[in-house]
Amino acid sequence: GNARIGGLPFASGASDALASGAMSWGSMTSSFVSMVGTVLANGTTVGLDGATAAATGLTPLAQADFSNTSAIRLSVCYEAAA
């Protein structure tokens, strides 16, 4: 399945929103040149998408993109549900 980060403190609003802020990563099994987090609608989860050098767009990250030593650092700012 697609990689997700769960456990945000508040449920998000009704539409997906790109995470604002900084994101960094390391020790992935693929050579990503770009990675973004998206706070998914009506939930407490961030979806992760990335692109390699040869890619024409972003695709969802999967478990196979991670190793035992992978690290992701992400800050998000999003609108919570009312």
Side-chain angles (χ1 to χ4, degrees), residues 18-79:
L18 286 177
S20 63
M23 183 169 189
S24 64
W25 60 92
S27 300
M28 306 295 287
T29 60
S30 300
S31 297
F32 290 101
V33 296
S34 178
M35 196 179 291
V36 298
T38 303
V39 177
L40 301 177
N42 298 313
T44 57
T45 309
V46 176
L48 301 171
D49 298 300
T52 58
T56 59
L58 297 169
T59 57
L61 272 63
Q63 182 178 354
D65 294 315
F66 295 87
S67 72
N68 289 336
T69 59
S70 293
I72 292 180
R73 291 162 197 85
L74 169 69
S75 67
V76 296
C77 180
Y78 64 99
E79 186 174 349

